[in-house]
Short mmCIF file of all heavy atoms in Angstrom, two decimals:
data_model
loop_
_atom_site.label_atom_id
_atom_site.label_comp_id
_atom_site.label_asym_id
_atom_site.label_seq_id
_atom_site.Cartn_x
_atom_site.Cartn_y
_atom_site.Cartn_z
N VAL A 849 -4.76 31.76 25.77
CA VAL A 849 -3.62 31.02 25.23
C VAL A 849 -2.53 32.06 24.95
O VAL A 849 -2.69 32.91 24.06
CB VAL A 849 -3.98 30.25 23.96
CG1 VAL A 849 -2.75 29.55 23.39
CG2 VAL A 849 -5.08 29.23 24.25
N VAL A 850 -1.44 32.00 25.71
CA VAL A 850 -0.34 32.96 25.61
C VAL A 850 0.95 32.18 25.38
O VAL A 850 1.26 31.27 26.15
CB VAL A 850 -0.23 33.81 26.89
CG1 VAL A 850 0.93 34.79 26.77
CG2 VAL A 850 -1.53 34.56 27.15
N GLU A 851 1.67 32.55 24.33
CA GLU A 851 2.92 31.85 24.00
C GLU A 851 2.70 30.33 23.89
O GLU A 851 3.47 29.53 24.39
CB GLU A 851 3.99 32.15 25.05
CG GLU A 851 4.44 33.59 25.12
CD GLU A 851 5.31 33.99 23.95
OE1 GLU A 851 5.66 33.11 23.15
OE2 GLU A 851 5.64 35.18 23.83
N ASN A 852 1.57 29.98 23.24
CA ASN A 852 1.20 28.58 23.03
C ASN A 852 0.97 27.82 24.34
O ASN A 852 1.07 26.60 24.39
CB ASN A 852 2.26 27.84 22.21
CG ASN A 852 2.40 28.40 20.81
OD1 ASN A 852 1.41 28.78 20.19
ND2 ASN A 852 3.63 28.48 20.32
N GLU A 853 0.66 28.56 25.41
CA GLU A 853 0.36 27.96 26.71
C GLU A 853 -1.07 28.29 27.10
O GLU A 853 -1.49 29.45 27.04
CB GLU A 853 1.33 28.47 27.79
CG GLU A 853 2.78 28.10 27.58
CD GLU A 853 3.08 26.67 28.04
OE1 GLU A 853 2.13 25.97 28.45
OE2 GLU A 853 4.26 26.27 27.98
N TRP A 854 -1.83 27.25 27.52
CA TRP A 854 -3.21 27.44 27.94
C TRP A 854 -3.26 27.67 29.44
O TRP A 854 -2.59 26.98 30.21
CB TRP A 854 -4.02 26.18 27.59
CG TRP A 854 -5.47 26.23 27.97
CD1 TRP A 854 -6.51 26.61 27.18
CD2 TRP A 854 -6.05 25.89 29.24
NE1 TRP A 854 -7.70 26.52 27.87
CE2 TRP A 854 -7.45 26.09 29.14
CE3 TRP A 854 -5.52 25.46 30.46
CZ2 TRP A 854 -8.32 25.85 30.20
CZ3 TRP A 854 -6.39 25.23 31.53
CH2 TRP A 854 -7.76 25.42 31.39
N GLY A 855 -4.04 28.66 29.87
CA GLY A 855 -4.14 28.92 31.30
C GLY A 855 -5.23 29.92 31.59
O GLY A 855 -5.96 30.39 30.70
N ARG A 856 -5.35 30.26 32.87
CA ARG A 856 -6.34 31.23 33.35
C ARG A 856 -5.62 32.46 33.92
O ARG A 856 -4.57 32.33 34.53
CB ARG A 856 -7.23 30.63 34.44
CG ARG A 856 -8.18 29.55 33.94
CD ARG A 856 -9.08 29.06 35.07
NE ARG A 856 -9.97 28.01 34.62
CZ ARG A 856 -11.15 28.21 34.06
NH1 ARG A 856 -11.57 29.45 33.90
NH2 ARG A 856 -11.91 27.21 33.67
N ILE A 857 -6.22 33.63 33.72
CA ILE A 857 -5.68 34.86 34.29
C ILE A 857 -5.90 34.81 35.80
O ILE A 857 -7.04 34.80 36.27
CB ILE A 857 -6.36 36.10 33.69
CG1 ILE A 857 -6.17 36.15 32.16
CG2 ILE A 857 -5.81 37.36 34.34
CD1 ILE A 857 -4.75 36.31 31.72
N GLU A 858 -4.82 34.77 36.55
CA GLU A 858 -4.90 34.66 38.00
C GLU A 858 -4.78 36.02 38.68
O GLU A 858 -5.45 36.30 39.67
CB GLU A 858 -3.81 33.73 38.52
CG GLU A 858 -3.84 33.49 40.01
CD GLU A 858 -2.76 32.54 40.47
OE1 GLU A 858 -1.58 32.73 40.10
OE2 GLU A 858 -3.08 31.59 41.20
N GLU A 859 -3.94 36.90 38.14
CA GLU A 859 -3.71 38.20 38.76
C GLU A 859 -3.32 39.20 37.69
O GLU A 859 -2.59 38.88 36.75
CB GLU A 859 -2.61 38.09 39.83
CG GLU A 859 -2.34 39.39 40.56
CD GLU A 859 -1.19 39.27 41.55
OE1 GLU A 859 -0.61 38.17 41.66
OE2 GLU A 859 -0.87 40.28 42.21
N ILE A 860 -3.83 40.42 37.83
CA ILE A 860 -3.48 41.52 36.92
C ILE A 860 -2.96 42.67 37.77
O ILE A 860 -3.68 43.18 38.63
CB ILE A 860 -4.69 41.97 36.08
CG1 ILE A 860 -5.27 40.80 35.28
CG2 ILE A 860 -4.30 43.11 35.14
CD1 ILE A 860 -6.53 41.17 34.51
N THR A 861 -1.72 43.08 37.54
CA THR A 861 -1.17 44.24 38.22
C THR A 861 -0.94 45.34 37.18
O THR A 861 -1.27 45.19 36.00
CB THR A 861 0.16 43.89 38.91
OG1 THR A 861 1.17 43.66 37.92
CG2 THR A 861 0.01 42.63 39.77
N LEU A 862 -0.35 46.45 37.63
CA LEU A 862 -0.09 47.55 36.70
C LEU A 862 1.12 47.29 35.81
O LEU A 862 1.32 48.01 34.84
CB LEU A 862 0.14 48.85 37.49
CG LEU A 862 -1.09 49.41 38.22
CD1 LEU A 862 -0.71 50.66 38.98
CD2 LEU A 862 -2.22 49.67 37.26
N THR A 863 1.91 46.26 36.12
CA THR A 863 3.12 46.00 35.34
C THR A 863 3.18 44.60 34.74
O THR A 863 3.90 44.39 33.78
CB THR A 863 4.38 46.22 36.20
OG1 THR A 863 4.28 45.39 37.38
CG2 THR A 863 4.49 47.67 36.62
N TYR A 864 2.46 43.63 35.29
CA TYR A 864 2.53 42.27 34.76
C TYR A 864 1.22 41.54 35.03
O TYR A 864 0.39 41.98 35.83
CB TYR A 864 3.70 41.49 35.39
CG TYR A 864 3.60 41.29 36.87
CD1 TYR A 864 2.93 40.19 37.42
CD2 TYR A 864 4.15 42.21 37.75
CE1 TYR A 864 2.82 40.01 38.77
CE2 TYR A 864 4.05 42.04 39.12
CZ TYR A 864 3.39 40.94 39.63
OH TYR A 864 3.27 40.76 40.97
N VAL A 865 1.07 40.40 34.32
CA VAL A 865 -0.10 39.55 34.47
C VAL A 865 0.38 38.14 34.82
O VAL A 865 1.33 37.65 34.22
CB VAL A 865 -0.94 39.51 33.18
CG1 VAL A 865 -2.11 38.53 33.31
CG2 VAL A 865 -1.46 40.90 32.84
N VAL A 866 -0.26 37.52 35.80
CA VAL A 866 0.06 36.15 36.19
C VAL A 866 -0.97 35.22 35.55
O VAL A 866 -2.17 35.36 35.79
CB VAL A 866 0.06 35.97 37.71
CG1 VAL A 866 0.40 34.53 38.09
CG2 VAL A 866 1.05 36.93 38.35
N VAL A 867 -0.47 34.27 34.73
CA VAL A 867 -1.33 33.28 34.09
C VAL A 867 -1.06 31.93 34.73
O VAL A 867 0.07 31.44 34.71
CB VAL A 867 -1.06 33.21 32.57
CG1 VAL A 867 -2.00 32.20 31.91
CG2 VAL A 867 -1.22 34.58 31.93
N GLN A 868 -2.10 31.34 35.33
CA GLN A 868 -1.97 30.01 35.92
C GLN A 868 -2.19 28.98 34.82
O GLN A 868 -3.28 28.86 34.27
CB GLN A 868 -2.98 29.80 37.04
CG GLN A 868 -2.86 28.43 37.70
CD GLN A 868 -3.89 28.22 38.79
OE1 GLN A 868 -4.77 29.04 38.99
NE2 GLN A 868 -3.79 27.12 39.49
N LEU A 869 -1.14 28.22 34.48
CA LEU A 869 -1.21 27.25 33.40
C LEU A 869 -1.92 25.98 33.84
O LEU A 869 -2.16 25.77 35.04
CB LEU A 869 0.19 26.93 32.88
CG LEU A 869 1.01 28.14 32.41
CD1 LEU A 869 2.36 27.69 31.87
CD2 LEU A 869 0.26 28.93 31.35
#
Side-chain angles (χ1 to χ4, degrees):
V849 177
V850 179
E851 295 287 354
N852 297 322
E853 296 280 4
W854 180 94
R856 291 183 181 274
I857 300 296
E858 183 179 49
E859 182 183 0
I860 303 176
T861 70
L862 292 178
T863 55
Y864 63 88
V865 176
V866 180
V867 182
Q868 181 182 6
L869 303 182

